[in-house]
Amino acid sequence: VASRCAGISSWELADAVPFASWFTDGLVGEARTSSSYAPIITARILGLIEHWLPSFKEPRARSAAYELVVDVLTGSEDMVCKLAASAALWHLINDWDFEAEGFAGYAALALEGLLKVVAESGEAENKLLCIRTISLILDRMGGKVRGLASSLASTLPELWNVCDEYVNLKPAIVNTTIKVVAALGVEAAFIDDFVLPLIEYCTEPAPHGVYLMDEGLTLWEETLKVAREPMSAALLGLLPRALALSHSGLGELVSCCKILESYAVLGGPAFLEARGSEVADALMRLMGYGRGDDGMATVLPSVITLLQVWPSGGPALFGEVVTKAVGDLLNGKVPSVLCAKYLVLIARVCLVAPS
């Protein structure tokens, strides 16, 4: 009863109750008792963390909370307690006072426990709760997450394979994959085996593409950022999908531009000599879908990048765009916010192809 009252009235009791010392010296010990009521008491105490977050500014109280959460995730047999621990950990990490250094010693065990809960739970909502916490850990741990991401990379394919039964888990798993790829960088050895087929699945013109398209395109962008040179055949094999999306007229204008630009930068002049005309056509098509000035503002930086990557052949690909830019500037049709981009485009062409 006391714990429920303390949770409901946390705002009113904040000045009267020294919660940090009560939690550290009293509640943590109660949560570790072995009575028949222990699971109920433990879940209630973990539930208090959300309501009393300001009290966990103190390093001693925060460390005690981390220890309790990790102990429950890795040692408890009660699913309700484990889910309460996952929720409490999410609030502790999502807190303004969270510091990655203070959590680094607990992160590996916490991740191990969360993955165990995901595997054991039979409810999609419970799995989603834990995956959300995992994703937040990867987000907030910054540069200290590489070791955690490596262990998670081997688990993601297994999680994805059971998703046919839990369709609403798929966006969460794709978002977690994005964070793992970003954390591992060029060490993400599972890209060809898992990530590229996942991108292909998410961007298919099928019903599931409606709710996975945005996540799939973001994962594609992140994968291209960390890809090694020379480009793998599997990654190059996805290019037709990006070109097809430029035909669709859907709302993926910004992502498609970034993806095509990344292919050009990664592949260099050799890639543009072989596929440059297709990429240029796709960018000019996207420029048309962008409704005038918005389309130009989005696509012009990608065009300028392609001119830098392939100065000898780029101007010929975008002659139509350059002609339009010059005409619009001379006729005063260019908004002031776009003048700089237009001038950069023209200057780049004049620099590499004055004729």
Side-chain angles (χ1 to χ4, degrees):
V1 175
S3 62
R4 293 193 66 182
C5 292
I8 295 169
S9 308
S10 58
W11 179 260
E12 291 80 3
L13 296 174
D15 294 329
V17 176
F19 185 82
S21 58
W22 181 31
F23 180 85
T24 306
D25 300 327
L27 293 178
V28 170
E30 291 181 31
R32 289 182 171 135
T33 58
S34 56
S35 69
S36 57
Y37 298 103
I40 299 172
I41 295 171
T42 301
R44 293 264 176 89
I45 291 172
L46 288 166
L48 288 176
I49 292 175
E50 171 188 354
H51 298 288
W52 289 86
L53 270 180
S55 298
F56 291 94
K57 289 181 181 178
E58 296 184 17
R60 183 166 169 261
R62 185 167 281 271
S63 296
Y66 289 150
E67 288 177 12
L68 176 60
V69 165
V70 168
D71 287 349
V72 172
L73 285 173
T74 56
S76 176
E77 298 297 325
D78 189 271
M79 182 58 69
V80 174
C81 289
K82 290 182 177 183
L83 294 173
S86 176
L89 183 58
W90 188 91
H91 287 290
L92 286 166
I93 295 174
N94 198 46
D95 185 31
W96 181 264
D97 296 306
F98 174 78
E99 293 181 358
E101 292 80 5
F103 183 64
Y106 308 95
L109 285 174
L111 187 60
E112 178 187 331
L114 288 166
L115 289 171
K116 186 178 178 183
V117 177
V118 172
E120 292 175 351
S121 175
E123 298 294 330
E125 291 81 1
N126 298 343
K127 292 177 182 288
L128 190 59
L129 173 67
C130 294
I131 291 172
R132 182 182 72 151
T133 305
I134 291 169
S135 185
L136 185 64
I137 291 172
L138 296 174
D139 240 356
R140 297 300 304 272
M141 288 299 290
K144 299 177 175 58
V145 81
R146 189 176 294 273
L148 305 179
S150 297
S151 62
L152 188 57
S154 61
T155 309
L156 285 170
E158 298 173 18
L159 291 178
W160 182 258
N161 289 336
V162 301
C163 271
D164 287 338
E165 301 174 31
Y166 310 100
V167 177
N168 57 338
L169 288 180
K170 290 184 176 181
I173 293 176
V174 178
N175 279 321
T176 303
T177 306
I178 292 168
K179 294 179 174 63
V180 171
V181 170
L184 292 178
V186 295
E187 296 176 14
F190 73 141
I191 283 180
D192 282 356
D193 296 331
F194 174 64
V195 176
L196 297 186
L198 183 58
I199 292 170
E200 190 170 8
Y201 177 85
C202 293
T203 56
E204 284 178 348
H208 58 255
V210 174
Y211 65 90
L212 288 174
M213 182 67 74
D214 288 343
E215 288 83 1
L217 290 172
T218 303
L219 177 59
W220 199 347
E221 289 178 44
E222 202 61 51
T223 302
L224 284 165
K225 287 179 187 176
V226 304
R228 300 173 184 268
E229 295 183 44
M231 197 186 318
S232 70
L235 184 56
L236 185 59
L238 285 177
L239 178 64
R241 179 63 53 83
L243 299 173
L245 286 172
S246 72
H247 283 273
S248 68
L250 299 174
E252 290 81 29
L253 173 63
V254 176
S255 293
C256 280
C257 282
K258 290 181 179 178
I259 288 168
L260 293 172
E261 181 180 337
S262 296
Y263 269 105
V265 172
L266 188 62
F271 166 78
L272 289 174
E273 285 177 11
R275 312 294 293 269
S277 59
E278 297 172 80
V279 173
D281 288 345
L283 288 173
M284 287 189 282
R285 192 175 300 111
L286 289 168
M287 200 177 292
Y289 288 137
R291 298 180 182 177
D293 294 336
D294 290 340
M296 291 292 284
T298 303
V299 178
L300 275 181
S302 298
V303 174
I304 293 167
T305 300
L306 264 67
L307 292 173
Q308 290 177 275
V309 172
W310 194 29
S312 61
L317 293 177
F318 296 103
E320 182 182 334
V321 177
V322 175
T323 302
K324 182 180 184 303
V326 173
D328 288 350
L329 277 171
L330 293 175
N331 295 321
K333 294 181 180 180
V334 181
S336 56
V337 294
L338 286 180
C339 278
K341 290 181 179 178
Y342 273 69
L343 291 170
V344 170
L345 172 65
I346 295 169
R348 177 62 58 183
V349 173
C350 290
L351 182 65
V352 299
S355 59

